[in-house]
Amino acid sequence: MNLMLVSGVSDTITELCRLSELGGHVCIAFDDFSEAIKAYGREPQRFDLIVLDSAEADRTDGMAVLKKLREIDSAGAIVLMIDAGCSEAVVTAVNEGVYGILWKPLDTNGFLKALARREDELELQQKSRDEQGALVKEYIKLKREFGEVQVLLRKYEALLDKSNAN
């Protein structure tokens, strides 16, 4: 899984990258919110999960960044890190349709649960696409076979008509 981690706190980025890489995930970290927005704007589908710090960094409010990311791709899976007790940020996050919330100080257990949940969802989506592809192939095969049966049926009917005429 490809993760985008955005935080102005280098210790947070280091710890989250370490945890995600231990799980075999690719971690792309940004300590500059505007660079993260640019990267996401270029390739939003590149990132399977985004973890965004809601704290101000580089004089950019994380909640404003959340809204910009949503403008780029409203379906992106974004986990927002919020200071415990910041109910206004939680309301905004929920209204913006975040994938999840991590409490600060850093909730590593919550992070690992969010990773596992997203991994499961992506696996199910891939399985669904695979099954849909198999169903389409089966439909095409059955449609072709049905067409062949119809041709044979017309030939049989023509032979019946011909034998009844005699």
Side-chain angles (χ1 to χ4, degrees), residues 29-44:
F30 295 89
D31 61 0
D32 181 309
F33 285 30
S34 61
E35 288 301 314
I37 293 167
K38 288 177 192 172
Y40 193 65
R42 285 189 298 270
E43 295 181 90

Side-chain angles (χ1 to χ4, degrees), residues 4 33-47 50 64-76 78 96:
M4 174 189 273
F33 285 30
S34 61
E35 288 301 314
I37 293 167
K38 288 177 192 172
Y40 193 65
R42 285 189 298 270
E43 295 181 90
Q45 288 73 30
R46 176 181 181 195
F47 302 103
I50 299 148
V65 174
L66 171 63
K67 290 179 182 187
K68 288 180 182 177
L69 295 175
R70 280 282 174 243
E71 288 171 10
I72 294 168
D73 180 8
S74 62
I78 301 172
E96 289 294 327

Side-chain angles (χ1 to χ4, degrees), residues 5-14 16 29-34 36 51-62 65 81 104:
L5 302 178
V6 187
S7 176
V9 181
S10 62
D11 290 346
T12 299
I13 288 176
T14 302
L16 293 179
F30 295 89
D31 61 0
D32 181 309
F33 285 30
S34 61
V51 179
L52 173 64
D53 195 337
S54 66
E56 290 187 18
D58 299 336
R59 290 176 278 158
T60 304
D61 181 2
V65 174
M81 291 188 291
K104 295 190 301 183

Side-chain angles (χ1 to χ4, degrees), residues 86-135:
C86 190
S87 59
E88 185 179 319
V90 172
V91 170
T92 302
V94 169
N95 288 339
E96 289 294 327
V98 295
Y99 184 78
I101 294 173
L102 290 179
W103 300 111
K104 295 190 301 183
L106 185 58
D107 176 10
T108 54
N109 190 39
F111 174 69
L112 293 173
K113 285 180 182 179
L115 276 179
R117 186 175 118 210
R118 184 66 177 147
E119 204 170 26
D120 289 347
E121 285 177 1
L122 292 172
E123 193 176 300
L124 285 172
Q125 288 172 3
Q126 184 59 48
K127 186 177 180 182
S128 177
R129 283 190 296 272
D130 293 346
E131 289 174 356
Q132 185 178 16
L135 286 172

Side-chain angles (χ1 to χ4, degrees), residues 9-26:
V9 181
S10 62
D11 290 346
T12 299
I13 288 176
T14 302
E15 181 63 12
L16 293 179
C17 279
R18 185 187 69 78
L19 288 170
S20 58
E21 288 168 352
L22 283 173
H25 306 293
V26 175

